[in-house]
Amino acid sequence: MDTLVAQLQRQFRDYTISLYHQGFLDDQFTELKKLQDECSPDFVAEVVSLFFEDCEKLIGNMARALDQTGNVDFNLVGSSVHQLKGSSSSVGAKRVKGLCITFKECCDSQNFEGCVRCLQQVDIEYKSLKAKLQDLFNLEQQIVQAGGRIPQVDI
Amino acid sequence: MEEELHVLAVDDNLIDRKLVERILKISSCKVTTAENGIRALEYLGLGDPQQTDSSSTNNVMKVNLIITDYCMPGMTGFELLKIVKQESSNLKEVPVVILSSENIPTRVNKCLASGAQMFMQKPLKLSDVEKLKCQLLNC
């Protein structure tokens, strides 16, 4: 008979693995988890939360810069993209990071339509990751509330 | 007696600062973070003489290691490295590690040529600091 805890743990394991396999997360996220322990039990959630705040802020900057019709400062957009690329790389947000690479190329070649497209994609992507990680954190909470331990998932 | 390594970590990115700080703390280091080169120099006692008063020079820290991001607005990590290495005081002996997301050979070479202890790729991992500590403490 499968206990609630075992079911939740299996869900958690499967969901985590799928996030890696679908390219949402890379091994830097695994590195983040290594930095979490009893002394710093919410480290991953804190860092990830900072990241999403960063996304919102930087995307706002990029949108404003791209809105200056006829007078777009591509260096300004590029510098925000560079920062976002750095942050996404640091938390293991693989798809966001990949989009930033393309985005940077559009900035460097002053490709306005390309930039606008990339901006839309980055916005969608970070929000998607945010929702998925929220689901993952919710599963963790459910496991703990059901009296279980969060399994270590080896990718 | 094993002393704690005191590390000054410099990075303009808040997330990266948080990461470096956590990694260093887990690695039993004392950490001070700075968000830019100017701040870093102030901590090291090399701030603007006109702005520094006697109370802040008393807070000058002894650091055993500086880890700095390469790419920062204003003063780059490379510029910070050069300032530290050009010091006439003991400060020039402090190892400086440069972190960068881009492993460009000319960038790596110029940092090493200017006295950087190491050039490491971002993002920093726990195992990187373990290796670094070993190198510095001659394990």
Side-chain angles (χ1 to χ4, degrees):
Chain A
M1 187 186 75
D2 224 0
T3 62
L4 174 63
V5 167
Q7 278 176 43
L8 288 170
Q9 286 172 331
R10 196 174 47 248
Q11 250 187 293
F12 174 80
R13 205 177 256 119
D14 291 345
Y15 197 53
T16 303
I17 290 171
S18 78
L19 289 178
Y20 281 86
H21 283 189
Q22 289 171 38
F24 286 99
L25 298 173
D26 63 29
D27 59 41
Q28 180 58 20
F29 190 76
T30 315
E31 291 295 317
L32 277 192
K33 300 203 88 172
K34 290 180 188 169
L35 304 180
Q36 185 161 288
D37 59 21
E38 312 80 49
C39 302
S40 221
D42 302 312
F43 184 74
V44 177
E46 284 166 15
V47 173
V48 151
S49 171
L50 281 176
F51 169 64
F52 293 129
E53 282 172 24
D54 216 26
C55 285
E56 209 181 305
K57 182 190 87 182
L58 291 170
I59 287 171
N61 292 350
M62 296 170 205
R64 263 187 305 279
L66 287 169
D67 230 3
Q68 311 300 313
T69 335
N71 197 22
V72 173
D73 185 346
F74 286 98
N75 283 334
L76 196 57
V77 184
S79 113
S80 288
V81 174
H82 176 85
Q83 284 185 62
L84 187 58
K85 178 170 158 255
S87 298
S88 56
S89 170
S90 294
V91 305
K94 189 176 180 180
R95 284 198 190 183
V96 177
K97 175 180 159 191
L99 285 173
C100 286
I101 294 171
T102 312
F103 201 162
K104 190 70 170 51
E105 287 165 9
C106 291
C107 292
D108 292 343
S109 52
Q110 310 214 342
N111 175 354
F112 180 74
E113 275 93 31
C115 281
V116 170
R117 252 194 323 272
C118 285
L119 181 66
Q120 286 168 351
Q121 286 175 316
V122 155
D123 190 57
I124 291 169
E125 200 55 58
Y126 100 81
K127 286 171 175 164
S128 169
L129 180 63
K130 187 173 177 183
K132 288 181 189 299
L133 286 180
Q134 193 54 59
D135 288 343
L136 195 65
F137 294 144
N138 287 345
L139 268 174
E140 283 185 341
Q141 271 193 336
Q142 284 177 60
I143 292 170
V144 168
Q145 275 164 11
R149 274 179 63 243
I150 298 162
Q152 174 125 349
V153 185
D154 294 317
I155 306 300
Chain B
M1 179 186 76
E2 196 191 283
E3 256 183 52
E4 234 186 1
L5 265 186
H6 183 183
V7 186
L8 176 62
V10 193
D11 200 313
D12 61 304
N13 186 307
L14 174 60
I15 290 164
D16 288 337
R17 278 202 304 281
K18 205 172 157 80
L19 267 181
V20 165
E21 186 181 43
R22 181 84 190 121
I23 290 175
L24 289 170
K25 283 189 171 160
I26 290 180
S27 309
S28 310
C29 298
K30 180 173 171 207
V31 192
T32 301
T33 58
E35 58 192 1
N36 58 50
I38 308 284
R39 279 285 206 246
L41 290 176
E42 280 171 13
Y43 284 128
L44 296 168
L46 298 177
D48 184 345
Q50 289 185 317
Q51 293 195 357
T52 330
D53 57 35
S54 57
S55 63
S56 55
T57 43
N58 284 338
N59 291 331
V60 164
M61 308 176 319
K62 183 175 181 324
V63 305
N64 309 112
L65 171 64
I66 298 167
I67 296 182
T68 178
D69 189 19
Y70 179 92
C71 222
M72 296 188 289
M75 186 185 295
T76 66
F78 179 62
E79 286 160 354
L80 177 61
L81 164 71
K82 284 195 293 182
I83 291 172
V84 168
K85 292 300 160 186
Q86 277 160 17
E87 261 292 293
S88 51
S89 68
N90 282 340
L91 187 55
K92 71 171 181 292
E93 305 301 329
V94 174
V96 180
V97 170
I98 308 277
L99 292 183
S100 174
S101 51
E102 288 148 319
N103 223 0
I104 305 166
T106 45
R107 181 179 287 188
V108 177
N109 291 337
K110 82 173 182 187
C111 289
L112 295 176
S114 291
Q117 173 82 14
M118 265 176 103
F119 185 101
M120 292 169 98
Q121 184 124 30
K122 278 176 117 171
L124 195 67
K125 294 173 157 58
L126 199 51
S127 54
D128 292 332
V129 171
E130 283 159 7
K131 279 183 213 145
L132 181 58
K133 265 187 87 175
C134 252
Q135 205 194 67
L136 291 175
L137 302 172
N138 291 314
C139 301

